[in-house]
Amino acid sequence: SPATASLPASGKLVLDLKLGGKLTPIEALVVEATAPVFDLKLGDHQFTTPEPLRIALRNGRISFDAFSLRSEDATFGVTGYADLVGDKQINVDVRGRIEAALLQLFARDMRADGHADVAISVAGAVTSPRVTGTIELSDAQVKFAGFPQLIDEINGTLRFRGDRIEIESVRATIGGGTVVAGGAITLAGMKPQRARISIQGTDVSLRYYEGITIEGNFNLLFSGDLEHAAITGDVDVTRA
């Protein structure tokens, strides 16, 4: 289960670099990077590569020639390119099953477990790309520092439609009760703009302080933008 202790990470990386062309301009520089050995241990999870990783810089474009990671029961790959010059376009696909534990590399105060089946495309200008595709959550669980309870049995779908993310009946268990979330988040490029998310909880027990537990049901609506958001709805406390 996830814990909020310091993140134990270790591993081994062997990187071979081949340089060619000229240092300037960047379009004249050629860099071919190959990682024949990639071994990352993140908590209880081991990540390796089914084949050497290969990334190249040619004509001012970074290309993912071969980039896939594998854990015990999950494999995902990244293909495509990102331009560093000109109109700086990006066209990258991420496909496969990803261990939720990888999220811990980006959110050190969170511990995660479970899987996410990902089929995501990122395309357009680097400054404002469009993200399309789906993320299917499967029996995931997370724990945040400062929040005393585990959020587990997370299942549901996040659907990316370029200008918004749709939350399709994501279910989870908190304190022995069921929480269901749905709604949408509008985007400007990769930046969230506005959200309208409904959250329903049934028989949820929350521990506020040591020895203090509140159990009840709730039906809440989170709406607004990043600067002005509001939570409205009803909370029915059945036991305190």
Side-chain angles (χ1 to χ4, degrees):
S1 296
T4 53
S6 60
L7 178 64
S10 60
K12 181 179 181 181
L13 172 66
V14 176
L15 189 63
D16 296 331
L17 288 177
K18 293 182 179 180
L19 304 179
K22 300 178 181 180
L23 292 179
T24 58
I26 195 170
E27 295 97 318
L29 177 64
V30 177
V31 180
E32 295 181 352
T34 303
V37 177
F38 181 96
D39 190 350
L40 172 66
K41 186 173 184 180
L42 190 61
D44 297 329
H45 302 275
Q46 192 84 22
F47 297 92
T48 58
T49 58
E51 61 179 336
L53 303 179
R54 298 199 309 274
I55 302 176
L57 171 63
R58 308 182 190 95
N59 301 315
R61 170 177 288 182
I62 297 175
S63 299
F64 296 93
D65 293 340
F67 192 100
S68 60
L69 293 181
R70 178 175 60 196
S71 60
E72 183 177 354
D73 56 355
T75 301
F76 76 96
V78 180
T79 59
Y81 64 83
D83 291 330
L84 302 180
V85 297
D87 55 1
K88 296 183 179 180
Q89 294 290 302
I90 185 172
N91 192 336
V92 172
D93 286 341
V94 182
R95 296 285 187 274
R97 170 164 285 195
I98 296 178
E99 289 273 8
L102 285 175
L103 294 174
Q104 298 169 176
L105 293 174
F106 309 99
R108 298 299 298 270
D109 291 333
M110 179 185 75
R111 297 295 174 262
D113 208 343
H115 302 99
D117 292 313
V118 176
I120 291 291
S121 296
V122 183
V126 172
T127 54
S128 57
R130 287 177 58 86
V131 182
T132 56
T134 58
I135 296 178
E136 299 275 353
L137 302 171
S138 178
D139 290 328
Q141 57 180 230
V142 295
K143 195 173 194 305
F144 298 95
F147 186 71
Q149 289 172 263
L150 179 70
I151 304 173
D152 63 353
E153 297 180 342
I154 305 172
N155 293 275
T157 301
L158 303 179
R159 194 171 301 278
F160 295 77
R161 297 191 180 276
D163 60 347
R164 69 189 186 278
I165 303 172
E166 296 177 353
I167 303 171
E168 296 185 352
S169 189
V170 173
R171 292 177 173 268
T173 299
I174 303 176
T178 301
V179 176
V180 180
I185 302 171
T186 59
L187 304 172
M190 299 287 285
K191 184 178 180 181
Q193 295 297 299
R194 296 187 60 84
R196 184 176 178 85
I197 301 171
S198 63
I199 306 173
Q200 296 177 329
T202 305
D203 298 329
V204 176
S205 296
L206 295 177
R207 296 195 307 270
Y208 282 91
Y209 300 100
E210 189 67 28
I212 300 179
T213 300
I214 295 178
E215 181 178 313
N217 308 311
F218 55 83
N219 191 343
L220 304 175
L221 176 65
F222 176 90
S223 60
D225 55 29
L226 294 179
E227 296 182 357
H228 303 92
I231 298 178
T232 57
D234 301 311
V235 176
D236 178 21
V237 176
T238 57
R239 188 181 67 176

